Amino acid sequence: MTPRATDRARYDRATAHLEAPLAIVDLDAFDANADDLVRRAGGKPVRVASKSLRCRALLERVLARPGFAGVMSFTLPESLWLARAGFDDVLLAYPTADRAGLAELAADPKLARAVTVMVDDPAQLDLIEAARGDGREDVRVCLELDTSLRLLGGRIRVGARRSPLREPAELAELARSVARRPGFRLVGLMAYEGHVAGVGDAVAGRPLRSRAVRAMQAVARRELAGRRAAVVAAVRAVAPDLEFVNGGGTGSVQHTAAEAAVTEVAAGSGLYVPRLFDDYTSFSGRPAALFAQPVVRRPGVGVVTVLGGGYPASGAAGRDRLPVPYLPEGLRYDPMEGAGEVQTPLLGSAADDLLIGDKVWFRHAKAGELCERFDRLHLVEGDRVTGAVPTYRGEGRTFL
């Protein structure tokens, strides 16, 4: 059998007693992916992006491994929840306007020690100050640098529209603004190069585009490395006790970690290895998170229908945002129907070997968004389910 066929047999045996729809995490693959991230980080700690896991038990599992330290969260309520649960280093990766949460943060010494908030505008500092109420705890602050690549005098921009802060002087000025305000402490700097870490450079069937992406990424890495070093020097001149400089993502771990100015890298999706990472040359991982849908119809030769399955990922709409039927090999969507809300027809010769009630295994396009569809993850080791752990949703937490 092919390796994928072997995996299908394992997963079918492990979950034979469970009804689909269901989601699994293959712990052997998860741990192997964790080891690979640590190897690529080259001795620098990996901060785990919680939005890519959305499961407290798996956050705890990976943080117990050497080479991982700290969480990168995605909302303030999530950050406070994690801190109350014992996670003592939580970096909120996005600015917040949650006034109630900010008041809680400023009033609780434990939360204030554990959580760092993101800012890239003095107006965000004003909002935090107004929201703190009677809270007198210092709020830990991280500044975010715009990493986008600008070409032709800025007429072409490549990269996400995140922070407005780009040049060393701009970051240093905001650092001085933080330093002048009582009740704030500048502790970190973050720069996420999504156009390098989050864009595949080996898209099947698109060789010209792939070469263009690789060329762009090489230019972007060189430009950002020089600018990031200058920004870090400028900010450290204002805040010499800066605790961390965070950068990168799963797709750029080894490149970002190689920069002397960076003290830690961020990653999370590389633990689950969703479908979008099939398009990368910088690393290869083992798919660890999958979901299964049951076959409920056989409309004709070469066709089966599974229950549900319409779980698109965020981002610009397109076929690459859809889950992919993964096991058995050889299934594809009907282009007239795609992945449906309550049923999904699948085409291909493999359909003729499937019976009513059999499982079809899918990979989500992205990582943690899968967990918004399932309340638990069944943990597979070898050909056995050895446990089940709740997702954020399973713990009654839907932060976005």
Side-chain angles (χ1 to χ4, degrees), residues 246-311:
N246 179 279
T250 290
S252 71
V253 165
Q254 64 269 41
H255 302 298
T256 306
E259 296 181 32
V262 173
T263 67
E264 63 175 40
V265 291
S269 297
L271 295 164
Y272 285 171
V273 185
R275 196 217 66 78
L276 283 177
F277 285 127
D278 291 350
D279 298 335
Y280 285 68
T281 59
S282 60
F283 80 105
S284 61
R286 293 172 56 184
L290 301 93
F291 67 93
Q293 305 293 112
V295 174
V296 292
R297 284 178 169 162
R298 291 173 51 86
V301 175
V303 186
V304 292
T305 301
V306 297
L307 182 71
Y311 305 158

Side-chain angles (χ1 to χ4, degrees), residues 195-208:
H195 51 301
V196 178
V199 178
D201 63 349
V203 181
R206 304 188 68 179
L208 294 180

Side-chain angles (χ1 to χ4, degrees), residues 141-159:
V141 168
C142 178
L143 308 184
E144 182 170 3
L145 165 68
D146 169 40
T147 65
S148 64
L149 176 64
R150 307 285 180 88
L151 302 171
L152 298 179
R155 291 191 294 276
I156 296 177
R157 173 196 178 105
V158 182

Side-chain angles (χ1 to χ4, degrees), residues 99-397:
R99 293 172 175 82
L102 289 166
E104 288 182 55
L105 177 66
D108 188 315
K110 177 182 177 180
L111 299 180
R113 285 193 302 271
V115 176
T116 302
V117 301
M118 192 66 60
V119 300
D120 56 32
D121 190 315
Q124 295 157 352
L125 297 173
D126 294 340
L127 187 148
I128 296 169
E129 204 159 30
R132 70 166 54 243
D134 295 330
R136 292 294 174 261
E137 298 298 324
D138 283 352
V139 175
R140 292 167 54 86
V141 168
C142 178
L143 308 184
E144 182 170 3
L145 165 68
D146 169 40
T147 65
S148 64
L149 176 64
R150 307 285 180 88
L151 302 171
L152 298 179
R155 291 191 294 276
I156 296 177
R157 173 196 178 105
V158 182
R161 297 182 182 275
R162 292 176 62 113
S163 171
L165 304 174
R166 181 172 181 81
E167 301 302 330
E170 296 171 331
L171 276 294
E173 178 55 36
L174 187 55
R176 284 189 287 271
S177 182
V178 174
R180 287 193 296 264
R181 295 181 185 231
F184 292 91
R185 186 154 65 93
L186 178 58
V187 299
L189 178 69
M190 187 187 88
Y192 172 57
E193 52 267 47
H195 51 301
V196 178
V199 178
D201 63 349
V203 181
R206 304 188 68 179
L208 294 180
R209 180 186 185 278
S210 297
R211 283 199 291 271
V213 169
R214 288 194 292 273
M216 174 276 293
Q217 290 178 339
V219 172
R221 286 197 300 268
R222 288 194 298 271
E223 186 277 335
L224 179 59
R227 186 158 52 88
R228 179 155 40 199
V231 166
V232 172
V235 172
R236 286 196 183 277
V238 178
D241 296 330
L242 206 65
E243 296 176 12
F244 64 85
V245 176
N246 179 279
T250 290
S252 71
V253 165
Q254 64 269 41
H255 302 298
T256 306
E259 296 181 32
V262 173
T263 67
E264 63 175 40
V265 291
S269 297
L271 295 164
Y272 285 171
V273 185
R275 196 217 66 78
L276 283 177
F277 285 127
D278 291 350
D279 298 335
Y280 285 68
T281 59
S282 60
F283 80 105
S284 61
R286 293 172 56 184
L290 301 93
F291 67 93
Q293 305 293 112
V295 174
V296 292
R297 284 178 169 162
R298 291 173 51 86
V301 175
V303 186
V304 292
T305 301
V306 297
L307 182 71
Y311 305 158
S314 60
R319 292 179 61 189
D320 65 346
R321 301 291 127 171
L322 295 177
V324 291
Y326 183 60
L327 303 171
E329 300 177 66
L331 295 173
R332 65 186 186 278
Y333 291 121
D334 181 334
M336 300 300 293
E337 297 196 46
E341 177 186 8
V342 291
Q343 68 169 33
T344 297
L346 297 171
L347 312 180
S349 59
D352 293 330
D353 295 324
L354 290 168
L355 304 176
I356 300 295
D358 284 352
K359 296 180 176 77
V360 173
W361 295 91
F362 292 76
R363 292 170 65 200
H364 204 273
K366 297 182 76 173
E369 293 179 28
L370 165 67
C371 294
E372 299 298 339
R373 299 287 183 169
F374 295 91
D375 61 6
R376 72 187 65 186
L377 299 170
H378 296 278
L379 305 179
V380 173
E381 296 182 75
D383 61 357
R384 295 186 305 120
V385 169
T386 57
V389 292
T391 61
Y392 280 10
R393 170 178 166 167
E395 295 199 67
R397 306 287 174 167

